[in-house]
Amino acid sequence: MSLFESARFLTSAAQVNQLPPAGLPEIAFAGRSNAGKSTTINVLTRQGRLAFASKTPGRTQLVNFFNLSRKTGEGKKAGREDIAFLVDLPGYGYAQANENVKAQWGKMIEDYLHKSKQLKLVFLLIDIRHAPSENDRIMYDWIRRNGYDPIIIATKLDKINRSQIQKQIKLIRTTLQAGADTQIIPYSAQTKQGREEIYEILDGVLAAENPAQE
């Protein structure tokens, strides 16, 4: 479990000037269109259809904002308080998208990373079965260049043998040219392995931004 207790969709933005007003801390999720980003968000928020997980990659073409909230008070005074935005960035790298669409997605993501005033943490999802793609490397570099140290969620852990895990983590780190300071979390949406580690990281951000929960 995590410090947030519920999540709900707030809004979608096609351009940076359509982003909701700054105020709450933002936690962003980035990844290729087939890396399992929507499924991961649904598992973490414990809501099966919060983020649209399509069988057709490349459907997430907007920056989607979700409110994370916690319960306040008891009995008749019980209520909900929004404590953060979870931000679902467009899935990149979909091969069948035309070049104009790919360029638009890339600009949207880079503009968001550069202009967001409340972004506290970026998770980058990479399929553990394969070496990171060129788009993954570009995204990792964008995130670092904008002043964030991304945490890698190595998805689809249940698709490989346990004996392959460390080899694939090393492959991801080497291909991204990531230093030892970049955290890589092996994760499976099916078995939930790695979920508690992600919750601990989320809770660290939420507690820092919402001291009453420490």
Side-chain angles (χ1 to χ4, degrees):
M1 302 297 288
S2 179
L3 288 180
F4 74 90
E5 294 173 307
S6 63
R8 70 182 189 279
F9 173 76
L10 176 65
T11 189
S12 295
Q15 300 176 21
V16 172
N17 61 12
Q18 297 174 346
L19 299 180
L24 294 176
E26 297 170 11
I27 300 165
F29 286 73
R32 281 176 57 88
S33 57
N34 58 353
K37 182 162 53 67
S38 296
T39 301
T40 297
I41 290 172
N42 290 339
V43 170
L44 292 174
T45 59
R46 304 177 291 277
Q47 296 188 60
R49 298 184 61 83
L50 183 68
F52 181 64
S54 172
K55 293 182 179 179
T56 303
R59 288 291 181 86
T60 304
Q61 301 178 19
L62 305 172
V63 179
N64 295 313
F65 281 75
F66 304 92
N67 276 122
L68 301 182
S69 62
R70 65 186 177 197
K71 186 175 71 173
T72 60
E74 298 292 339
K76 293 182 179 180
K77 294 183 178 180
R80 293 282 176 184
E81 176 187 19
D82 293 332
I83 58 175
F85 288 133
L86 187 156
V87 184
D88 183 11
L89 297 174
Y92 57 83
Y94 182 45
Q96 294 184 28
N98 65 51
E99 294 304 316
N100 288 337
V101 170
K102 291 178 183 178
Q104 180 181 354
W105 293 349
K107 185 177 187 304
M108 191 188 314
I109 295 170
E110 189 168 27
D111 283 352
Y112 169 75
L113 293 172
H114 181 65
K115 295 179 181 179
S116 173
K117 303 300 183 184
Q118 291 294 320
L119 181 59
K120 305 300 180 183
L121 175 65
V122 183
F123 289 105
L124 176 58
L125 278 68
I126 294 177
D127 188 332
I128 198 170
R129 298 175 297 176
H130 312 294
S133 67
E134 178 64 21
N135 284 313
D136 290 325
R137 293 194 292 272
I138 291 171
M139 178 57 61
Y140 178 80
D141 289 342
W142 276 356
I143 297 169
R144 292 296 295 257
R145 193 164 63 237
N146 280 284
Y148 303 99
D149 187 13
I151 293 174
I152 309 299
I153 299 178
T155 62
K156 307 190 180 183
L157 179 63
D158 54 289
K159 304 294 186 182
I160 65 172
N161 295 327
R162 184 173 296 272
S163 61
Q164 296 176 289
I165 295 175
Q166 292 307 314
K167 174 186 174 183
Q168 294 305 110
I169 289 176
K170 182 179 180 181
L171 177 62
I172 290 172
R173 192 178 299 279
T174 301
T175 305
L176 294 178
Q177 297 182 344
D181 59 328
T182 296
Q183 186 173 357
I184 301 177
I185 301 174
Y187 170 77
S188 168
Q190 299 299 318
T191 68
K192 310 301 186 295
Q193 184 172 338
R195 183 174 64 172
E196 293 305 317
E197 292 178 66
I198 298 171
Y199 278 155
E200 287 183 12
I201 294 166
L202 285 170
D203 284 354
V205 174
L206 296 177
E209 297 298 321
N210 300 274
Q213 285 291 298
E214 290 183 334

